[in-house]
Amino acid sequence: MTSPHWKRFVWFCLCLTLSHPTWSAGGVTIPGYAPATGVERSYRVQKATETDMSFWFDKPGAPPVTARGAFRQAMTVLSRDEDGMGVRWSLSADLPEDIAGLADSYQMNLLYRNSLTAYGITALELETDLNGNPRGLSGVDQIVAHMREMAANGQGGNPAVGERGLYDIIAKLETNPLQIVAALVPEAQLLATGQSYQAETMEIGQASATSQDEDYGGVSVPVTSTWTLESIDATARTATLSLLEEADTAAFSQSQQAAIAKLMNGFAERAKNLTADQLASVKRASKSRNVELVVSLNDGSTLEASEIVTVEAGGTTLRTYTHIQREDMPANLQLAAVLTAKDLQTPDLHIEPLPSVKAGPGFLDELSTPPAPPTASQDTTVAADNDAAKAIAPVSLEVKSAEVTLSPVSYDHGLNIVLTPESAAKFRDFTQTVLGRQAQMLISDKVVMEAWMREPIMDGRIVLAGTDRKDLEALAEQLKVPGVKILVRLRP
């Protein structure tokens, strides 16, 4: 994906004139963005992704795999002059208190918590243009230094050189720090979509189209943007606008060929059997973005935004949903059903929190970190716990199924192990008992995973990742042999 081209604008002293929109035969005037400084605004943010790879798994009509998140973020305009603004975003991975349902159905929150840990921050201070588009970030050196320290604090205290491409990520962030903003607070860009420092006069129902080129991996892709003023609410003093962005299909398809080739390589056997029409369809790609925005007719700020981005490429469909609502204003836009659905087919992920930079084994430990050292007042209790730990017997687990599959989220392979109901109950009890301790998993007397247990595993599912695909397939074959079991024990 390309990074936005940030532009500087000339300041027009029109605050008094633009703060009061006018209705006339020529249309409706939406005021320029003129936010109050020093006032914290809280936003309710809901997100979801749907990934449909049923074509490759030869399961037509299967529901897409969905991940979602719900957040409360806060933004304050710290300063504003003729050149731009200083903005602070206070960030949190906590689920809003009124969210119904299990945390497992909001996996984005767990991933986002790990992102905040990896970057070592709970707030970002941005430099923006007068529309609110981010164009600079404070504290980049500290963020990068924190990530390097975490990388150096690898498993067992060894530097994590090359693992997971971590240093490649750090290098990219140093080259373009705004990627940090895109990763942690994309809401800033979406809100800015509906804001303009200049007044805009529009007619209800009349569409206005523009075109621009965007860079996708070195390929210039024409993108057409169509704006429409949908309605005006004179009582609430708001305007509802829509935006449709469509990428040129031929150019976008060209830009995605490398990614499509990688995907086809992951499904090599199925790819060999594609018909000519299927192959042609797989090599086509498209991208569209549908946005609805509710904008204040008092200060030109975006009060609510709904965005759906759809990318089709390589026989897959990825659709992302975002809804943002300023909490002091009523909701007007309809939420996509996926954001509130009770039943979802979620990715088979077990997400553990990353440790902080000071937490022992470090950033790249697969499942987490050891508990903090006891205080003097805890010594007696901890000693008793250690004695009890020695008495915890290993558990032998029977496997119901073991399959190597491609993650629809990351395209990485993983060994998905499902235990029998009886073994799932044994494993649940074991993980509850050894919370805060390090456990080992053995297959055929070989240790295949070591992890710190920070929460019980309730569903009888284990995912092994980060290993060569051939090694995972070999383990899967071992687990299919009758009588073979998994041994789980405390690390000696």
Side-chain angles (χ1 to χ4, degrees):
M1 303 293 288
T2 185
S3 299
H5 299 283
W6 314 111
K7 300 180 180 179
R8 292 178 177 266
F9 296 92
V10 179
W11 173 253
F12 291 91
C13 298
L14 300 176
C15 297
L16 291 176
T17 303
L18 300 183
S19 64
H20 299 285
T22 59
W23 285 261
S24 68
V28 179
T29 299
I30 301 172
Y33 181 44
T37 59
V39 178
E40 184 177 79
R41 304 293 191 186
S42 295
Y43 294 87
R44 176 69 170 265
V45 182
Q46 292 174 270
K47 301 180 182 181
T49 63
E50 288 182 337
T51 307
D52 184 353
M53 298 184 69
S54 57
F55 173 84
W56 290 106
F57 292 108
D58 200 18
K59 295 181 179 179
V65 176
T66 304
R68 65 179 173 184
F71 309 88
R72 293 182 72 247
Q73 313 289 36
M75 184 270 285
T76 305
V77 177
L78 303 174
S79 62
R80 179 168 166 261
D81 58 27
E82 69 278 3
D83 190 49
M85 297 185 294
V87 175
R88 181 179 63 234
W89 279 90
S90 299
L91 309 174
S92 172
D94 296 340
L95 274 170
E97 294 179 358
D98 61 336
I99 283 292
L102 300 175
D104 285 347
S105 68
Y106 291 91
Q107 294 170 323
M108 284 187 181
N109 288 73
L110 303 176
L111 292 168
Y112 188 69
R113 187 180 303 281
N114 281 350
S115 295
L116 294 178
T117 300
Y119 289 107
I121 56 174
T122 56
L124 283 179
E125 291 198 7
L126 315 178
E127 175 193 352
T128 78
D129 65 22
L130 293 171
N131 294 356
N133 290 305
R135 65 184 183 192
L137 174 63
S138 300
V140 175
D141 291 344
Q142 293 91 328
I143 292 172
V144 171
H146 176 86
M147 295 185 72
R148 288 191 178 279
E149 188 176 356
M150 293 193 79
N153 187 32
Q155 189 168 357
N158 297 315
V161 178
E163 269 193 77
R164 299 185 183 179
L166 181 59
Y167 286 104
D168 289 340
I169 294 173
I170 293 173
K172 290 178 180 177
L173 296 181
E174 289 179 310
T175 302
N176 180 12
L178 287 176
Q179 291 187 21
I180 299 172
V181 181
L184 296 184
V185 61
E187 295 85 359
Q189 182 66 34
L190 180 52
L191 292 174
T193 299
Q195 297 166 172
S196 173
Y197 78 105
Q198 287 182 301
E200 300 285 346
T201 299
M202 306 177 69
E203 294 186 17
I204 295 176
Q206 183 174 345
S208 175
T210 60
S211 182
Q212 63 182 15
D213 290 342
E214 296 184 1
D215 180 78
Y216 288 87
V219 177
S220 181
V221 178
V223 177
T224 301
S225 301
T226 304
W227 282 94
T228 306
L229 175 60
E230 301 290 347
S231 63
I232 292 289
D233 187 329
T235 303
R237 297 184 61 77
T238 60
T240 300
L241 303 98
S242 67
L243 168 64
L244 171 62
E245 291 184 346
E246 294 179 298
D248 179 80
T249 301
F252 187 72
S253 296
Q254 180 186 350
S255 74
Q256 300 302 303
Q257 291 310 301
I260 292 171
K262 179 181 178 181
L263 179 61
M264 293 178 65
N265 185 58
F267 292 91
E269 290 302 317
R270 176 149 171 75
K272 290 177 183 177
N273 298 317
L274 296 179
T275 67
D277 288 343
Q278 286 176 325
L279 185 60
S281 177
V282 163
K283 292 187 175 181
R284 285 195 295 269
S286 64
K287 179 181 179 182
S288 64
R289 178 184 182 224
N290 287 273
V291 184
E292 286 186 284
L293 302 147
V294 177
V295 178
S296 169
L297 293 177
N298 293 319
D299 65 4
S301 61
T302 300
L303 305 176
E304 188 177 3
S306 176
E307 176 188 63
I308 302 174
V309 179
T310 303
V311 177
E312 296 181 335
T316 70
T317 300
L318 172 64
R319 189 169 283 112
T320 64
Y321 301 84
T322 305
H323 180 265
I324 306 173
Q325 177 195 346
R326 209 173 83 181
E327 289 194 312
D328 62 333
M329 304 298 293
N332 289 280
L333 303 178
Q334 183 174 0
L335 270 68
V338 67
L339 297 175
T340 57
K342 294 183 178 179
D343 297 317
L344 295 171
Q345 181 179 342
T346 58
D348 190 10
L349 302 175
H350 184 66
I351 305 165
E352 294 285 350
L354 288 177
S356 71
V357 71
K358 299 178 181 179
F363 178 42
L364 295 176
D365 189 339
E366 279 296 322
L367 289 185
S368 193
T369 57
T375 63
S377 63
Q378 295 172 316
D379 286 345
T380 303
T381 302
V382 171
D385 286 345
N386 287 340
D387 290 339
K390 295 176 182 178
I392 297 175
V395 291
S396 182
L397 307 175
E398 295 183 356
V399 176
K400 179 179 180 182
S401 65
E403 299 291 339
V404 176
T405 62
L406 192 68
S407 167
V409 176
S410 65
Y411 295 159
D412 291 331
H413 287 88
L415 175 57
N416 293 276
I417 301 169
V418 180
L419 303 175
T420 63
E422 296 80 4
S423 289
K426 291 167 60 178
F427 189 46
R428 177 199 64 211
D429 294 342
F430 177 85
T431 57
Q432 286 177 327
T433 303
V434 301
L435 287 179
R437 303 184 177 98
Q438 193 173 23
Q440 292 180 331
M441 188 173 81
L442 293 81
I443 299 176
S444 300
D445 298 324
K446 179 182 178 182
V447 176
V448 297
M449 183 175 72
E450 291 185 341
W452 292 92
M453 291 297 172
R454 290 292 297 273
E455 62 180 277
I457 299 175
M458 311 296 289
D459 59 1
R461 295 176 180 269
I462 305 169
V463 180
L464 294 181
T467 304
D468 182 78
R469 178 182 177 181
K470 292 183 179 179
D471 292 338
L472 293 174
E473 290 174 341
L475 288 174
E477 291 303 316
Q478 291 182 46
L479 293 174
K480 292 176 182 178
V481 175
V484 172
K485 296 183 179 181
I486 295 173
L487 181 71
V488 181
R489 69 187 183 192
L490 283 175
R491 181 178 180 179

